[in-house]
Amino acid sequence: MDRIDSLRLFAAVAELGSFTKAAEREGMTPGAASKQITALETRMQARLLERTTRSVRLTDAGSALLERVRPWLAEYEALESGLAEDNSAPVGLLRVSAPVDFGARRLMKPVSDFMAKWPGVEVRMSLSDRMVDLVDEGFDVAVRIGQLADSTLIAKRLAAACMTIVASPAYLKSAGAPETPEDLARHDCIIDRNKPAPQQWNFTRDGKTTEVRIKGRLTLNGATAAVEAAAQGVGIACSPLWAAREAMEQGRVVRILPDWEPDHRDLWAVYPSSRYLARRVRLFVDHLAASFGDTV
């Protein structure tokens, strides 16, 4: 096995957390995989993986190596795969995971355009707010919003997903409009459990960050539902702009605290670092990046 294959195997073990699964993907026995990693550790003069009977985890040296080689491997494999496919039209099944609201409201048009451009690709979408395991559950790519946790997945930023604070004119007439983020603590706010910290809203202005602990009588999960509840006068919602835009244009909700920027979020495409990344996956990710522009 050459050194490139050794690094590929190391990245596979780190991604899958298993010598057995990595060996199966790379077409070798677990024993041979273990020997190759030992040889790699000898060359690197550092222990890269901590092995137990139940799990495999990266050491600090392993994490540092993975961070440096993963982008290089991805570029090399993309080149290798591209040459092998000879720029032929992509075919086959593309399995995509995406959040429910965003998938239904903002992803269908790009997906439709992609399918029209590449009729040989079949798309199977799963809309769920659950954080799926791409490798174990067999997904090719996932669309995610927010801060990504550390993982062995490859992530490509697609666009900014701006947030906004909205309420109905009727609610503001009755309760008054907050003038600062701190005023929100005295208002009925809509709690969206899909957020990482549902009852903590963060704001930035002039480089200063303000954290506000909010409360409210309505708790739900989903940006579209939060905006609709705000439009019905239930309270104040912190929503992605893409979810609130239509209600804002209709005048059913209005933006408040315009000088304060709520928590910044990004839209990402994430996919496993497999040895032969299908061309349809690479084309789909590039298509999404071109479809959304700077902001969704």
Side-chain angles (χ1 to χ4, degrees), residues 12-56:
V13 173
E15 175 188 331
L16 300 173
S18 165
F19 273 95
T20 301
K21 291 181 180 180
E24 181 180 353
R25 193 168 82 178
E26 298 299 313
M28 65 178 68
T29 66
S34 181
K35 289 180 180 179
Q36 290 298 333
I37 294 299
T38 299
L40 177 63
E41 290 176 324
T42 300
R43 289 199 302 272
M44 295 295 174
Q45 298 183 353
R47 191 166 184 81
L48 304 175
L49 297 163
E50 293 289 353
R51 307 161 175 83
T52 70
T53 56
R54 294 185 178 181
S55 65
V56 178

Side-chain angles (χ1 to χ4, degrees), residues 8 70-87 154 271 273-279 281-283 286:
R8 281 171 162 164
R70 188 166 56 186
W72 181 84
L73 284 173
E75 291 294 332
Y76 183 86
E77 289 163 6
L79 174 63
E80 187 179 64
S81 180
L83 290 175
E85 290 177 340
D86 195 26
N87 292 322
I154 303 298
Y271 48 93
S273 177
S274 57
R275 179 168 181 175
Y276 299 113
L277 182 66
R279 184 165 180 255
V281 179
R282 290 187 282 108
L283 289 174
D286 290 342

Side-chain angles (χ1 to χ4, degrees), residues 184 187-201 212-223 225-227 229-230 234-239:
L184 291 171
H187 279 265
D188 225 343
C189 295
I190 298 164
I191 301 169
D192 184 352
R193 293 195 310 272
N194 276 2
K195 292 182 171 61
Q199 291 185 260
Q200 179 179 303
W201 293 359
V212 179
R213 183 77 177 175
I214 59 97
K215 61 183 185 298
R217 292 180 296 149
L218 177 61
T219 299
L220 43 71
N221 61 317
V227 172
V234 173
I236 297 174
C238 179
S239 165

Side-chain angles (χ1 to χ4, degrees), residues 2 6 31 37 61 81 116 121 145-146 154 181 194 199 203 211 214 226 264:
D2 63 27
S6 293
I37 294 299
S81 180
V121 177
I145 302 173
I154 303 298
N194 276 2
Q199 291 185 260
F203 297 85
E211 298 179 358
I214 59 97
H264 177 77

